[in-house]
Amino acid sequence: MSDFSMTINGQPVSAADQFDVKNPATGDTVGLAPNSSKDHLDLAVAAAQVAFTTWSQTSDAVRVQACQDIAAKIGEHAEELAQLLTREQGKPLNGIGSRFEIGGAQAWAAHTASLSLPVKVLQDNEQGRVELHRKPMGVVGSITPWNWPVMIAVWHILPAVRSGNTVVVKPSPYAPLSTLRLVELMNQVLPPGVVNSVCSDDRTSNIGAAMSAHPGIRKIVFTGSINTGKKVMATAADTVKRLTLELGGNDAGIVLPDVDPKAIAEGLFWGAFINNGQTCAAMKRLYVHESVYDGVCAALADYARAIPVGPGTEEASVLGPINNRMQFDKVQRLVDAAKQKGRVLLGGEPGEGLFFPPTLIADLSHDDPLVTEEQFGPALPIIKYSNVEDAIRQANDSPNGLGGSVWSRDVEKARQVASRMECGSVWINKHGAIQPNAPFGGVKSSGCGVEFGEEGLAEYTDIQVMFS
Ligand code: NAD
């Protein structure tokens, strides 16, 4: 067990107050995180403001190199980061777990290096020249969740740095240590103050709220729940901050009548149970046509039954525990309620500690809480439909609009249904796939703005139009 530090102006900074970060598989303390005060935040913002005066003036080549150097650092320390991530987050080392997440973070960092936003010439004639420039904004505040902490920190920090901003990042108290270490590593290749970290337990100190209000921060990029996102939006109004909000989802999957249940079972399972269901754009409710309903339920249960669940540090584990008690209790409450009305195909009873087995509950109706609320855990509700128009209507009958999917042998027919779904990403015969060159974001209450690609990079800039 060790003490972890904030990084402010390139230096490790400890806090008088600390809090325990627990291993969700064992309950053991993984490390002590600093519980930052408002003064620490002020120091971090001040350091980032000073660094901005020079970093915003660096050449493109310098920033490209910085992103590449960060990618290389992540690669050099991949196993160390993966081990730490597994111990604090719970996800297994293997499969779509910690090693995958750290590899993804490295790949995303490298891809961000390759992005650019060149000056756009809007007009160049005898009336004059009009150019659109994209300028860095200042200090970006990054607030991240506990489910994919390292990957999401990279999604926030790299485009900010690439476009000439400086950053103060605050991870979730449920899995902050790998991010604190990541920022230390970034500071080995960046000038002091370009990326700073702070951290709080959210009980005695809530630095996320303080960041949203801070007059020295120009933009907040926030990934987390809809409720907290609303608070960020309200608090940020006073200083008219720019916002990118990546919020919760309640993604629907629609299975059309022509599928082969056995052929889609694996894709359905991982669409829903990636990271134990603790993924924003996981499939959180499944609508299946009555003609293939029994077959899909059986094939999905057969696939899920064979998945090894265990401590993430064991190489054989494919799914781990739920990350924290609050989330565990929510999953249990929704599953207990669903069991009264639906049919348990698999799981349904909690395991030891924070372990909860993959749970499939069939025969639910569209208004069951496991269907209408974001469970964010290993429990999938399955709803039978007889008319595809009903399935589309029910899929869209949600305040959320992050992702959705359609499953069919007829890709053209699936594309037609997909285009009618109200969500930022929609997949055919898969669910949740993302890539660094494709913008990702939610519609409706799932957020505002996008990440990734040139569109995502542009969100870290102000437009300045120059007339000459
Ligand atoms: P959360 O909203 O509880 O916490 C997110 C972050 O906000 C944490 O760092 C937390 O410390 C901080 N925070 C707490 N109170 C705050 C306040 N008043 N002001 C500002 N920040 C505050 O979310 P979580 O439980 O960590 O993450 C799970 C949620 O995140 C799920 O709803 C999931 O769908 C969503 N999520 C969305 C995406 C996406 O890209 N759309 C990705 C991952 C997770």
Side-chain angles (χ1 to χ4, degrees):
M1 191 185 77
S2 42
D3 290 10
F4 285 75
S5 305
M6 299 168 260
T7 303
I8 298 178
N9 204 26
Q11 298 300 315
V13 175
S14 49
D17 191 23
Q18 294 177 309
F19 63 96
D20 282 5
V21 178
K22 304 277 190 198
N23 181 334
T26 60
D28 297 341
T29 299
V30 180
L32 293 176
N35 196 22
S36 309
S37 65
K38 175 74 172 47
D39 288 347
H40 290 125
L41 175 63
D42 288 342
L43 284 175
V45 172
Q49 284 176 315
V50 171
F52 181 73
T53 57
T54 41
W55 188 250
S56 58
Q57 300 304 316
T58 49
S59 68
D60 235 33
V62 167
R63 295 184 212 153
V64 167
Q65 189 60 48
C67 293
Q68 285 168 346
D69 291 347
I70 291 171
K73 269 285 160 201
I74 296 171
E76 283 164 31
H77 291 265
E79 187 59 19
E80 174 204 342
L81 287 167
Q83 295 282 348
L84 181 57
L85 177 59
T86 284
R87 286 191 294 129
E88 66 170 343
Q89 207 284 334
K91 63 180 68 186
L93 290 165
N94 293 319
I96 313 173
S98 291
R99 290 178 179 135
F100 171 85
E101 177 167 348
I102 304 300
Q106 184 186 357
W108 241 276
H111 184 83
T112 308
S114 73
L115 297 173
S116 65
L117 294 168
V119 173
K120 206 163 153 186
V121 178
L122 304 178
Q123 178 187 307
D124 190 15
N125 58 20
E126 55 286 0
Q127 269 89 46
R129 185 175 167 90
V130 183
E131 294 171 348
L132 186 155
H133 295 246
R134 292 217 166 249
K135 298 172 64 175
M137 302 170 127
V139 179
V140 171
S142 151
I143 303 174
T144 58
W146 47 263
N147 59 342
W148 294 88
V150 175
M151 188 107 96
I152 291 174
V154 164
W155 293 349
H156 289 186
I157 295 169
L158 269 288
V161 167
R162 173 69 189 85
S163 47
N165 301 279
T166 55
V167 178
V168 176
V169 59
K170 192 213 74 68
S172 162
Y174 292 115
L177 304 179
S178 44
T179 304
L180 295 173
R181 180 67 182 133
L182 175 75
V183 173
E184 282 177 4
L185 295 171
M186 288 181 174
N187 272 270
Q188 293 176 6
V189 296
L190 289 172
V194 172
V195 178
N196 308 273
S197 60
V198 287
C199 188
S200 68
D201 66 4
D202 287 1
R203 289 187 298 275
T204 57
S205 170
N206 191 323
I207 292 295
M211 288 168 74
S212 310
H214 203 291
I217 294 180
R218 277 290 323 280
K219 173 195 168 88
I220 294 280
V221 50
F222 170 88
T223 303
S225 62
I226 292 176
N227 278 344
T228 314
K230 287 177 183 172
K231 289 183 195 163
V232 170
M233 205 170 199
T235 313
D238 210 34
T239 46
V240 197
K241 285 187 176 53
R242 304 300 182 267
L243 296 175
T244 300
L245 301 177
E246 296 288 0
L247 307 180
N250 194 7
D251 292 12
I254 299 178
V255 176
L256 299 183
D258 65 356
V259 297
D260 170 357
K262 284 206 173 74
I264 63 169
E266 181 177 0
L268 288 176
F269 179 83
W270 286 113
F273 289 88
I274 177 172
N275 202 31
N276 229 2
Q278 302 165 122
T279 298
C280 53
M283 190 169 64
K284 293 178 178 139
R285 45 200 175 115
L286 181 60
Y287 298 87
V288 183
H289 190 265
E290 59 188 3
S291 63
V292 285
Y293 185 78
D294 291 341
V296 169
C297 287
L300 196 48
D302 283 347
Y303 186 86
R305 203 171 283 120
I307 298 297
V309 180
T313 46
E314 286 178 14
E315 298 279 343
S317 298
V318 175
L319 291 178
I322 292 177
N323 171 261
N324 60 74
R325 175 61 55 187
M326 179 254 329
Q327 197 59 45
F328 181 94
D329 290 346
K330 181 173 190 190
V331 172
Q332 181 156 22
R333 169 176 66 80
L334 292 171
V335 167
D336 283 349
K339 282 182 346 192
Q340 308 301 315
K341 295 190 189 154
R343 179 167 51 101
V344 178
L345 301 177
L346 191 72
E349 291 297 326
E352 293 278 306
L354 294 178
F355 284 92
F356 205 102
T359 293
L360 298 167
I361 305 191
D363 303 352
L364 289 171
S365 61
H366 173 62
D367 56 2
D368 190 285
L370 184 59
V371 181
T372 57
E373 290 183 40
E374 185 189 30
Q375 67 277 53
F376 213 64
L380 180 68
I382 308 174
I383 307 108
K384 189 192 286 188
Y385 75 85
S386 49
N387 177 335
V388 73
E389 290 301 319
D390 288 342
I392 297 171
R393 189 177 43 74
Q394 293 184 340
N396 289 338
D397 180 24
S398 165
N400 304 59
L402 195 55
S405 59
V406 184
W407 303 73
S408 171
R409 282 189 226 237
D410 182 342
V411 172
E412 212 28 64
K413 194 196 288 171
R415 285 168 59 92
Q416 284 166 21
V417 174
S419 69
R420 295 176 57 197
M421 293 178 80
E422 296 168 359
C423 47
S425 302
V426 68
W427 297 275
I428 313 293
N429 294 327
K430 57 185 160 196
H431 196 113
I434 50 170
Q435 55 192 60
N437 61 349
F440 173 78
V443 302
K444 302 200 283 188
S445 293
S446 289
C448 56
V450 293
E451 296 186 275
F452 315 157
E454 255 94 37
E455 293 83 353
L457 191 65
E459 298 217 359
Y460 291 84
T461 63
D462 286 326
I463 287 177
Q464 183 179 57
V465 181
M466 193 177 286
F467 299 82
S468 58

